[in-house]
C-alpha cells in the first residue's frame, strides 16, 4: 500500500519546515473491477457506466460513489430491491482486483394500468400510444416518453390544453407496480373555416 507522511519541524518563533515522505508501495500492472452475482445486467453494461461516470479511479478511493451509481442504475431498470457492496481490494500476482458483490433481487412487473379521464372510444388508442401493458417489466425510465407520447396524440387532435400525468403505486413485497395514467384533455379546438385574402392570382381550391 502507498503511504504519505508529513513531519513539521521548527519553533513558534522561527520558520517551519514540512518534510513529506512518500512510500509508493507495490505497483500493479493490471487493475480491474470484478462484478459478482450479476444475472440480468452484464459486466459490460457496468463497465460502460463506470466509464461514463468517470469512476475508474474513484471506485477504488470512494467505493460508496460506485455503490450509489450502480444501485441507481438498477432502480432505473426496475430492480428496486437491488443492493451493491464493494469489498476491500485484493492484490495478487501483480494484479489489483476490486470485488463488487451484487444482489439483484426481483424484477418488478406492471400489475395494473388504469386510464383515467379517457373516453371509452379512445381507450384503445390511448393505451396503444402509452405502450406500457399489464404484465410487462417495470422500467421507470420508460414512463416519461410514454406519457409524452399520449400528450402528443391529444395535441395532434386539437386538445391544446391537455395535461397528462402518470403516478405509480409500488408493492415491494410482491415486486409489482400499479400505474395510473390520467388525462385532463380540456376543450378540443377545431378549425371551422379558413379565410384566404390577397390571393388574386391563385385559385381558392389550390390553397
Amino acid at each position: 500500500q502507498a503511504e504519505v507522511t508529513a513531519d513539521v519541524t521548527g519553533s513558534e518563533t522561527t520558520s517551519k519546515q514540512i518534510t513529506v515522505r512518500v512510500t509508493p508501495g507495490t505497483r500493479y500492472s493490471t487493475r480491474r473491477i470484478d462484478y459478482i452475482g450479476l444475472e440480468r445486467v452484464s459486466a459490460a453494461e457496468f463497465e460502460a457506466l463506470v466509464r461514463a461516470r468517470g469512476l475508474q479511479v474513484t471506485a477504488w478511493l470512494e467505493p460508496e460513489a460506485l455503490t450509489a451509481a450502480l444501485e441507481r442504475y438498477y432502480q432505473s431498470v426496475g430492480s428496486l430491491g437491488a443492493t451493491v457492496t464493494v469489498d476491500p481490494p485484493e492484490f495478487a500476482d501483480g494484479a489489483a482486483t476490486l470485488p463488487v458483490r451484487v444482489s439483484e433481487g426481483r424484477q418488478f412487473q406492471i400489475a395494473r394500468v388504469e386510464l383515467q379521464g379517457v373516453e371509452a372510444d379512445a381507450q384503445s388508442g390511448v393505451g396503444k400510444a402509452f405502450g406500457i401493458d399489464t404484465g410487462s417489466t417495470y422500467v421507470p425510465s420508460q414512463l416519461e416518453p410514454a406519457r409524452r407520447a399520449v400528450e402528443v396524440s391529444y395535441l395532434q387532435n386539437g386538445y391544446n390544453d391537455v395535461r397528462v400525468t402518470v403516478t405509480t403505486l409500488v408493492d415491494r413485497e410482491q415486486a409489482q407496480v400499479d400505474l395510473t395514467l390520467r388525462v385532463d384533455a380540456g376543450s378540443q379546438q377545431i378549425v371551422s373555416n379558413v379565410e384566404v385574402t390577397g390571393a388574386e392570382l391563385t385559385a381558392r381550391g389550390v390553397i
Side-chain angles (χ1 to χ4, degrees):
Q1 290 279 4
E3 183 179 4
V4 179
T5 60
D7 296 325
V8 179
T9 58
S11 65
E12 293 293 335
T13 58
T14 62
S15 60
K16 296 183 179 181
Q17 178 177 332
I18 300 176
T19 303
V20 178
R21 295 183 177 84
V22 178
T23 304
T26 304
R27 182 174 184 176
Y28 294 90
S29 57
T30 60
R31 183 182 62 201
R32 70 185 184 91
I33 300 176
D34 184 22
Y35 300 101
I36 304 165
L38 297 182
E39 296 179 10
R40 295 185 296 273
V41 177
S42 69
E45 289 178 80
F46 275 165
E47 289 167 0
L49 177 66
V50 167
R51 288 194 298 271
R53 299 287 190 274
L55 296 173
Q56 298 97 317
V57 176
T58 304
W60 297 76
L61 303 175
E62 301 175 25
E64 62 277 5
L66 177 63
T67 297
L70 299 187
E71 288 185 348
R72 280 197 301 268
Y73 179 80
Y74 269 115
Q75 291 171 6
S76 74
V77 297
S79 295
L80 304 186
T83 59
V84 178
T85 304
V86 180
D87 289 348
E90 299 175 354
F91 305 95
D93 301 324
T97 303
L98 186 65
V100 177
R101 301 186 184 276
V102 175
S103 175
E104 293 188 341
R106 291 188 290 175
Q107 176 68 57
F108 280 58
Q109 305 290 322
I110 302 297
R112 184 169 66 98
V113 178
E114 180 182 0
L115 304 182
Q116 296 182 351
V118 180
E119 298 292 337
D121 58 354
Q123 296 249 342
S124 177
V126 170
K128 184 177 180 180
F130 190 52
I132 300 177
D133 300 317
T134 298
S136 62
T137 298
Y138 174 56
V139 182
S141 59
Q142 293 178 350
L143 296 183
E144 175 55 22
R147 185 206 66 80
R148 179 58 179 164
V150 173
E151 187 175 69
V152 168
S153 71
Y154 272 85
L155 290 171
Q156 291 174 339
N157 283 283
Y159 293 94
N160 295 337
D161 297 322
V162 64
R163 293 185 60 191
V164 180
T165 58
V166 179
T167 57
T168 61
L169 179 62
V170 177
D171 184 340
R172 291 187 175 274
E173 290 187 2
Q174 299 298 322
Q176 294 179 342
V177 180
D178 292 341
L179 299 182
T180 300
L181 174 72
R182 178 168 183 81
V183 178
D184 295 312
S187 301
Q188 185 179 27
Q189 301 177 17
I190 301 175
V191 177
S192 60
N193 181 53
V194 177
E195 182 66 29
V196 179
T197 60
E200 299 179 356
L201 301 179
T202 304
R204 296 177 67 87
V206 175
I207 299 177

